[in-house]
Amino acid sequence: MALLGLVGPATFGASRPPVTGSGGAVSSDERLATEAGLEILRSGGNATDAAVAVALALAVVGPEAGNLGGGGFAVTRYPGTAREGISNVRFLDFREVAPAAAHRDMYLGADGKPDRDKSWNGPLAAGVPGSPTGLYELHRAQGALEWPQVVAPAIRLAEDGFPISRRTHDSLVEDQARLARFPETTAVWFDGDRPKTPGTVVKLPRLASTLRRYAELGPRALVIGEVAKSIVEISEKYGGILSLQDLESYLPTWREPVRYKAFGWQLAGADLPSSGAILMASSLWMMDRGGLPSTEPSSADRTHLMAEAWRRAFADRFLLGDPTTTGATASDLTEPAWLTDRWGSFDRQTATDSATVRLWSRVTRDAGAESADTTQISVIDKDGNAVSVTTTLNGLFGGALWVPGFGFLNNEMDDFAAAVQEPNEYGLVQGEANVVRPGKKMLSSMSPTVAWKSTDAGEEILVLGGRGGSRIPTGTMQVFVALAVDDAGLQQALDRPRVHHQWLPDAVYYEPDALSPETRAELERRGHRVDIKESIAQIQAVRMRADGSYEAAGDPRKGGGHGGVVDPIR
Ligand code: GLY
C-alpha cells in the first residue's frame, strides 16, 4: 500500500474535512437537496424515503440533471430484509424508453450521417420519462413514511423559492445558446437574455402545484391528464414524437443487480440497460489480477494497469444494449474464464493497441477460446439500509426544453447509437445491440453502487456513484480503489485526481495534477496516447464504518457536491 501523505497523489483543490455523524448520511450534488434528505432521515424516514426526497428536491433546485423528465437506476441493500429465496439487494430500472414512433434512422441527416442536433436538442431527443413512476415505485416498495411526506420538501422548495447555485448558474452559462432556443426555458431560467446569476431566488409555482398533485395522486398526476397533455403538446410544437400513450404505458422494472467481489468487498450495481456494473466488475477483476494493490496511486504502473483493464472492458461495451437486444450479458462478460483469456494479452510495459482488442463472442467462447449530466444520490440510514440512485437527463438540462409545470425533458435518445460505429457525445463507439428501436432502452454507463465488507468489528458499507457519462464507471472505480485498497479517507478519495480510458478513443485522459510530467512521459514511452481532461466524473459517496459511525462527502469538482450527516458527533 502507498504511504499516503508522503508519496500519495495530489488532491483536486483544497480538501474539505470529513463530515461524520452517528445516525445516517446523505450525499448529492446540491446542498439544499442533501438537506431535504437529512430532514427526512431526522423525521424517521429510511434510506429510500431520503433518496426519493433528494431526487425530487433535485428536480427543483438542480434542474441541469435533477428531473421528473428523465430516468435512472436505484440499487438498494436492506440488510434486515434477507429471507429464504429473497435477496436483500435490489435494482430498480426506471431508464427512459424510446417512444413508439421512434425508428432506427431517426437521427441521421440527409447525408446519412448522425445529425447531432436532432439527438441532442429539443424534444425529438427525448425518451419517455421514467422518473415519475420510478421514484414512486421505489418509495412504494421500500419507503417507511407516507408518500406526501417524501414529496413535501420539493414542494416547499418550488413554492417558497431557492437561490440558484453556482453550479446551476455555470451550467446555464455553458449551455446558454441551446437553452435560448426555447422561450419556455428562458422565461424561467434567464433574466432577459442572460442566465440567472448565483443567489437569485427562483420560485416555481406551477411545478409546486404539479408536485402537490403528485403527492396526492402519485404518477397519475403526471403521466395522464393535464400535465401529460402539456408535455405532448410542447413536444409536438418543437418536432418531438412523444405521445400520451407513451407516457401512460411506461413502467419501471425490478431486476437482479450485478453482484461481484473486489479487493475483499462485495458489490452490487446496475445491470443492463446500464453497462456500469458490468464495466466495474470486469475491470476490477482485471486490476486485481494485475496486482493493483502493490502499485502506487497516480504512478505509471497503476495508471497503465487501470487503462489496460478499462480498454478491454469498454471494448465489450460495444456489444451491449437493452436487455432484450444485447449481444452479451453480465454473466458472459464477467465469467472468470473469459476475463482470464482477456487479460492474457496484458503486457506490463507496453500499451495494447485498442484496434487489436477482440470482442467477446459466443462463437469464439464455444470454440474454447459522458457534458455528462446526471446526478448521484447516496444514502445510508441508521439501520444500515443503503440506497444508491443515479438519475439523469443525459446532457445538461436534457434537450434544453423546459415544460412549464413539469421540468426539462431529457435528451437520453443520444445514448443510443445513431449509427453503428459512429462516436456519440461521450466518444463512445457502439454496436447493433444499441440502435434505436421503439420501446427499447438506450445503453447507459450509470453506476449506482452499494459495497459492503464484514470485519471483526462489524460491517462496513459504502454507497457511491456519479455523473459523467462514460467516465462514471471509471470515476466510481477510482474512488472505490482509493477506499478499498489505499485506505484513503472518504473526502480524500473523492478529491484525488482521476484518469480515464474507454477503449476508443485510444487515449489515457487525465485531470490536471493526476499525473506528474515524469509519469506522463513514462506512459508515452509504454505506447499510450495521453491527453488532459478538465474533470473526470463527479462522485458522491457515503460510508458507514464498522463502529457505527457515518461519513458523507461531496465531490469538489464543478462547484462541489454536498455530503451531510444526521447527529453530527464532531
Ligand atoms: N446519460 C448518461 C448515461 O446514462 O450513461
Side-chain angles (χ1 to χ4, degrees), residues 175-378:
D175 273 33
Q176 181 167 351
R178 56 196 289 271
L179 293 163
R181 286 161 66 163
F182 303 104
E184 292 83 353
T185 301
T186 55
V188 174
W189 298 104
F190 283 33
D191 281 325
D193 59 357
R194 312 288 304 164
K196 286 197 192 294
T197 48
T200 308
V201 173
V202 175
K203 293 187 181 183
L204 299 169
R206 285 186 70 177
L207 182 55
S209 135
T210 301
L211 287 166
R212 268 191 204 295
R213 286 178 53 75
Y214 189 37
E216 281 164 29
L217 303 174
R220 282 182 300 134
L222 307 182
V223 302
I224 58 175
E226 288 311 308
V227 173
K229 271 194 217 141
S230 70
I231 295 171
V232 170
E233 273 168 26
I234 201 165
S235 165
E236 285 174 351
K237 173 177 168 191
Y238 291 108
I241 54 171
L242 288 171
S243 70
L244 288 171
Q245 178 62 26
D246 286 329
L247 296 173
E248 188 174 352
S249 57
Y250 183 93
L251 285 177
T253 310
W254 287 100
R255 303 184 189 279
E256 281 301 309
V258 178
R259 294 183 64 154
Y260 55 104
K261 292 185 182 153
F263 304 119
W265 287 72
Q266 299 197 61
L267 297 98
D271 198 352
L272 296 172
S274 187
S275 59
I278 297 174
L279 291 167
M280 287 186 60
S282 51
S283 304
L284 289 170
W285 188 99
M286 290 187 267
M287 290 177 198
D288 206 351
R289 177 59 62 100
L292 183 138
S294 62
T295 62
E296 298 284 344
S298 294
S299 63
D301 282 348
R302 181 174 291 187
T303 307
H304 176 73
L305 175 56
M306 291 195 300
E308 291 303 308
W310 291 332
R311 180 198 307 287
R312 288 163 173 77
F314 272 86
D316 283 337
R317 192 185 185 283
F318 184 83
L319 300 169
L320 303 179
D322 178 279
T324 61
T325 60
T326 189
T329 64
S331 49
D332 292 333
L333 299 184
T334 58
E335 180 202 5
W338 165 238
L339 291 171
T340 305
D341 185 31
R342 177 59 115 192
W343 196 237
S345 58
F346 171 67
D347 183 314
R348 280 195 191 283
Q349 288 300 318
T350 310
T352 306
D353 179 352
S354 281
T356 67
V357 176
R358 76 180 170 83
L359 304 187
W360 181 93
S361 94
R362 202 170 298 284
V363 176
T364 52
R365 297 301 303 141
D366 291 349
E370 315 106 74
S371 154
D373 270 281
T374 298
T375 191
Q376 168 68 24
I377 300 156
S378 299

Side-chain angles (χ1 to χ4, degrees), residues 95 370 374 392 394 412 415 426 444-446 469:
R95 181 75 160 166
E370 315 106 74
T374 298
T392 185
N394 196 25
E412 218 70 57
D415 274 349
Y426 307 110
S444 171
S445 300
M446 294 192 289

Side-chain angles (χ1 to χ4, degrees), residues 7 27 29 61 73 100 135 168 170 179 213 307 390 424 442 458:
V7 296
S27 182
D29 276 332
V61 303
F73 303 119
L135 294 173
T168 297
D170 290 348
L179 293 163
R213 286 178 53 75
T390 317
N424 75 353
M442 54 301 282

Side-chain angles (χ1 to χ4, degrees), residues 84-244:
E84 189 66 29
I86 299 183
S87 170
N88 60 8
V89 187
R90 306 181 78 194
F91 162 38
L92 183 68
D93 165 12
F94 56 101
R95 181 75 160 166
E96 302 92 324
V97 296
H103 60 92
R104 181 184 178 115
D105 295 336
M106 64 187 283
Y107 298 117
L108 300 183
D111 59 358
K113 296 269 181 214
D115 179 343
R116 174 53 45 75
D117 189 48
K118 287 185 177 172
S119 64
W120 195 252
N121 296 313
L124 189 61
V128 182
S131 294
T133 43
L135 294 173
Y136 184 80
E137 169 58 18
L138 184 59
H139 172 267
R140 188 205 60 75
Q142 300 190 159
L145 298 182
E146 295 297 319
W147 173 245
Q149 277 179 277
V150 172
V151 189
I155 297 173
R156 197 179 60 230
L157 288 163
E159 201 154 65
D160 297 351
F162 60 92
I164 295 252
S165 69
R166 163 68 57 185
R167 177 201 296 274
T168 297
H169 167 75
D170 290 348
S171 300
L172 288 168
V173 170
E174 192 177 327
D175 273 33
Q176 181 167 351
R178 56 196 289 271
L179 293 163
R181 286 161 66 163
F182 303 104
E184 292 83 353
T185 301
T186 55
V188 174
W189 298 104
F190 283 33
D191 281 325
D193 59 357
R194 312 288 304 164
K196 286 197 192 294
T197 48
T200 308
V201 173
V202 175
K203 293 187 181 183
L204 299 169
R206 285 186 70 177
L207 182 55
S209 135
T210 301
L211 287 166
R212 268 191 204 295
R213 286 178 53 75
Y214 189 37
E216 281 164 29
L217 303 174
R220 282 182 300 134
L222 307 182
V223 302
I224 58 175
E226 288 311 308
V227 173
K229 271 194 217 141
S230 70
I231 295 171
V232 170
E233 273 168 26
I234 201 165
S235 165
E236 285 174 351
K237 173 177 168 191
Y238 291 108
I241 54 171
L242 288 171
S243 70
L244 288 171

